[in-house]
Amino acid sequence: MDNKHCLQSSFEAEVSKKTTTVPSFDLNHNPGISLAVRWISLSPLSYLRATTTKLKVVSFLLGLTLSFFIVASYILTWDRRGLLITPAPSPLRASVVACSTNISLDMKSLVRNILFKLEYTPRRVPDEREVIESDPQLFSAIPRQFLPHVKNPCWLAEFSSEAGTDPYKRNLFTLRSKSFKTVCDTMRTNFQGHLYHRDGKVYRLRCLPYFYIIGQPKCGTTDLFHRLLLHGEMKFITMKEPHWWTRKRFGYIRFKDGLKARFPLEDYLDLFDMAAHRIQEHMVANSSKEHSEVKFITGEASASTMWDNQAWSYLHGDKDEAEPLLLAQDFIHTVQPNAKIIIMLRDPVERLYSDYLYFKVANKSMEDFHQKVIDSVQLFQACLLNSTLRYCVYNTNLSNAMPVRLNLGMYVVFLLDWLTVFQIDQLLVLPLEDYAANLGATIKKVFDFLNVGSLSKQAVAAVTKRPMSNARRAADRRLGPMLNATRALLRDFHRPFNSKLASLLDNKAFLWTDA
């Protein structure tokens, strides 16, 4: 079966089920893509090519059998419900994988296609009513105005007696974090002393983060988070990555584990109670000082916030929209339009290799990484033949099918979507390479962005001399760098995205050229 029929036939069943048109990968729409048929050999015996017809047939059958089992194992791994027989949100996944391996990888044509599709119309931003109606409980609990003379977004919320003397008893985060459970044990002892009594009602101070470090994975967010903790005006949660806006509020902890209990807003706000108590103490101390601002702030650092909108596919997989209509930033902006956003980015080529090394899988090698990169690029190429760039970047089926998380390095697509709701001066985008090369100057830039006080020389020394977080494991260091061929392929693939990012931010550091 040729490529065209392979790709088309895999969608015929789906098209017949729906009245709307399912996106198809019609190769005729992009004649620049090479139609040469090539099966990526997944068999370690593929080098045995006999000269006789009989041996060729045997070799082909062996390779086909092994390929079937490997693809099947991928499909089983992708299952998110916990049952091996449970279908994915879309049954197209396996067919896309099988057919994409028959498409010859033509980087020049693919890059031309990416460049062409990078010039797209910005997404339609949902109006505020649409966002609020999608989660009325969230927006009824958070006021539109926060307390004056408090830098951090905080408000007084009525405290229900139903919570009793243990307001943290049912918090789902305590079940997943021993450190946060310990914090709750401490806060519980003096919780009553932090309640306000007024007009026969009881209130507690609630706070959201003043800022969010939103991405990306393996880009230094953990290290930045812990260094910021050393500033006296920073009062953080004890859990760095709650992943609430992207996952837990929908009931997902890990998508492969399926739908769990939703983490309510109250549980998320509890994460900031320690900061709220400190802010409250200074509110009381400054009550006699007119127009005196309490400058303490808090924040969080979930590296999924920038890019992860997969919950849309899991919860609304029956809808016909090709791209998620509501993104995490729509909700954050609606409740907190003045939020500060910090983004750490790394050379996407190095980020992908670090991401590959981070996950504990067997038989890691430079050659294995190279093959996974090829498979992932081919999957993206197959999607892009007849779909929009945003569709392929956000598509959950494609993301799950990729052996490595190639889409996470397409930074500019995510950033452009954040800029549809936030102003450019609300975002601080930092290259990790600058952060590592000139830590002191970069940290100062972050402090200036957050408008916090300057540090003493001793504090600056403590911030800059702190050991780096999340160092690579010894076994992974021994593996060595990626192959030059892998680096060259990834460099070509990411060049259009990097170029647009550098132009958008007017900073050549985001070109990430080897030179």
Side-chain angles (χ1 to χ4, degrees):
M1 181 182 295
D2 61 23
N3 290 329
K4 177 177 178 181
H5 291 109
C6 176
L7 289 170
Q8 287 182 337
S9 63
S10 60
F11 289 95
E12 287 176 355
E14 284 301 302
V15 173
S16 65
K17 294 178 184 177
K18 297 189 177 184
T19 56
T20 57
T21 302
V22 177
S24 64
F25 300 148
D26 186 353
L27 298 181
N28 288 332
H29 283 232
N30 198 331
I33 299 295
S34 170
L35 299 184
V37 177
R38 182 174 69 88
W39 181 264
I40 294 178
S41 176
L42 299 177
S43 168
L45 302 179
S46 60
Y47 69 91
L48 295 177
R49 296 183 176 178
T51 56
T52 65
T53 303
K54 182 177 180 180
L55 287 178
K56 285 183 179 180
V57 172
V58 172
S59 177
F60 172 76
L61 291 176
L62 283 173
L64 186 62
T65 303
L66 288 173
S67 298
F68 170 79
F69 282 112
I70 289 174
V71 171
S73 68
Y74 274 138
I75 296 171
L76 296 183
T77 303
W78 293 328
D79 177 73
R80 61 181 57 83
R81 301 289 182 185
L83 297 174
L84 296 181
I85 59 173
T86 303
S90 168
L92 304 180
R93 174 187 296 146
S95 59
V96 172
V97 174
C99 291
S100 68
T101 56
N102 285 335
I103 299 176
S104 176
L105 182 57
D106 183 346
M107 285 304 299
K108 289 185 178 179
S109 295
L110 175 57
V111 169
R112 284 197 299 268
N113 203 11
I114 291 172
L115 282 168
F116 175 73
K117 295 196 174 186
L118 261 173
E119 302 304 321
Y120 57 83
T121 304
R123 76 181 183 111
R124 184 192 74 83
V125 180
D127 61 41
E128 191 174 273
R129 177 185 54 80
E130 291 179 84
V131 180
I132 293 174
E133 288 180 353
S134 70
D135 195 346
Q137 187 175 3
L138 169 66
F139 296 100
S140 65
I142 301 176
R144 304 313 301 268
Q145 298 293 327
F146 300 120
L147 290 175
H149 311 310
V150 178
K151 183 177 178 180
N152 201 84
C154 299
W155 69 98
L156 290 175
E158 189 171 351
F159 180 69
S160 172
S161 59
E162 295 178 0
T165 58
D166 188 356
Y168 308 111
K169 183 177 181 180
R170 295 184 178 87
N171 189 298
L172 294 177
F173 283 103
T174 62
L175 303 178
R176 311 198 67 82
S177 171
K178 291 182 179 180
S179 60
F180 182 62
K181 184 178 184 301
T182 301
V183 169
C184 289
D185 292 341
T186 301
M187 293 192 297
R188 188 182 294 113
T189 59
N190 61 355
F191 179 80
Q192 293 296 323
H194 285 91
L195 295 177
Y196 289 95
H197 297 266
R198 187 168 59 197
D199 301 328
K201 294 183 179 180
V202 181
Y203 299 87
R204 66 189 294 192
L205 188 68
R206 292 304 235 168
C207 298
L208 282 169
Y210 176 76
F211 67 92
Y212 298 84
I213 304 175
I214 66 170
Q216 286 284 63
K218 311 311 297 175
C219 288
T221 57
T222 298
D223 190 78
L224 175 62
F225 178 84
H226 288 298
R227 289 185 198 278
L228 294 185
L229 275 173
L230 298 175
H231 195 290
E233 294 178 22
M234 307 279 188
K235 305 300 175 186
F236 281 81
I237 58 172
T238 54
M239 183 184 299
K240 170 186 169 276
E241 295 189 275
H243 297 295
W244 188 78
W245 291 100
T246 54
R247 300 171 188 174
K248 292 189 176 73
R249 73 188 180 98
F250 300 108
Y252 289 99
I253 298 169
R254 293 183 300 179
F255 288 110
K256 69 182 183 65
D257 294 335
L259 191 64
K260 305 293 182 182
R262 291 175 178 246
F263 284 53
L265 172 66
E266 289 73 19
D267 288 15
Y268 179 62
L269 296 177
D270 285 348
L271 298 175
F272 308 99
D273 263 11
M274 181 172 284
H277 290 175
R278 189 64 58 87
I279 290 170
Q280 181 180 351
E281 291 168 2
H282 283 263
M283 287 173 59
V284 173
N286 293 353
S287 59
S288 60
K289 302 176 184 178
E290 190 175 359
H291 304 304
S292 177
E293 183 182 55
V294 178
K295 295 184 177 181
F296 290 115
I297 59 174
T298 189
E300 62 124 300
S302 299
S304 67
T305 308
M306 182 176 180
W307 63 272
D308 190 354
N309 289 279
Q310 293 189 77
W312 175 269
S313 299
Y314 290 88
L315 298 173
H316 305 284
D318 57 334
K319 296 186 180 296
D320 295 324
E321 290 85 2
E323 302 163 5
L325 295 181
L326 299 175
L327 304 177
Q329 54 264 42
D330 297 326
F331 294 91
I332 295 174
H333 181 266
T334 301
V335 300
Q336 201 176 344
N338 297 318
K340 297 272 192 176
I341 309 297
I342 299 172
I343 302 172
M344 288 275 281
L345 299 179
R346 178 184 189 177
D347 180 346
V349 176
E350 297 297 337
R351 193 219 70 81
L352 189 64
Y353 191 48
S354 181
D355 204 42
Y356 166 78
L357 295 176
Y358 173 76
F359 292 102
K360 295 181 178 179
V361 295
N363 302 319
K364 283 189 287 190
S365 69
M366 295 177 291
E367 293 77 12
D368 178 66
F369 178 64
H370 183 77
Q371 187 60 58
K372 283 179 166 59
V373 166
I374 290 176
D375 294 347
S376 299
V377 172
Q378 285 187 300
L379 284 167
F380 191 79
Q381 175 183 266
C383 178
L384 204 59
L385 290 176
N386 203 37
S387 299
T388 68
L389 182 65
R390 286 186 74 253
Y391 172 85
C392 296
V393 171
Y394 281 107
N395 186 272
T396 298
N397 292 326
L398 177 61
S399 179
N400 290 342
M402 287 181 177
V404 289
R405 299 195 292 181
L406 184 71
N407 57 324
L408 268 61
M410 304 174 202
Y411 306 136
V412 70
V413 177
F414 303 115
L415 182 59
L416 285 170
D417 281 351
W418 277 83
L419 289 173
T420 61
V421 289
F422 285 100
Q423 299 298 315
I424 187 67
D425 60 358
Q426 290 180 260
L427 275 65
L428 177 64
V429 187
L430 301 168
L432 176 63
E433 293 77 13
D434 286 0
Y435 178 80
N438 199 340
L439 183 58
T442 308
I443 288 290
K444 184 181 184 302
K445 187 181 294 186
V446 176
F447 288 157
D448 290 344
F449 175 71
L450 298 176
N451 193 27
V452 296
S454 58
L455 294 176
S456 65
K457 290 183 178 180
Q458 294 80 1
V460 170
V463 170
T464 56
K465 291 181 180 179
R466 184 186 184 278
M468 283 285 182
S469 300
N470 274 3
R472 188 170 290 177
R473 292 184 291 260
D476 294 334
R477 288 198 301 270
R478 288 194 294 270
L479 199 62
M482 72 184 81
L483 298 173
N484 290 335
T486 318
R487 186 183 304 278
L489 188 155
L490 286 172
R491 186 67 70 211
D492 288 343
F493 178 84
H494 283 292
R495 187 173 291 113
F497 299 101
N498 296 345
S499 179
K500 190 172 182 67
L501 178 66
S503 176
L504 176 67
L505 298 175
D506 193 22
N507 188 344
K508 292 183 178 180
F510 294 105
L511 290 173
W512 287 297
T513 56
D514 285 330

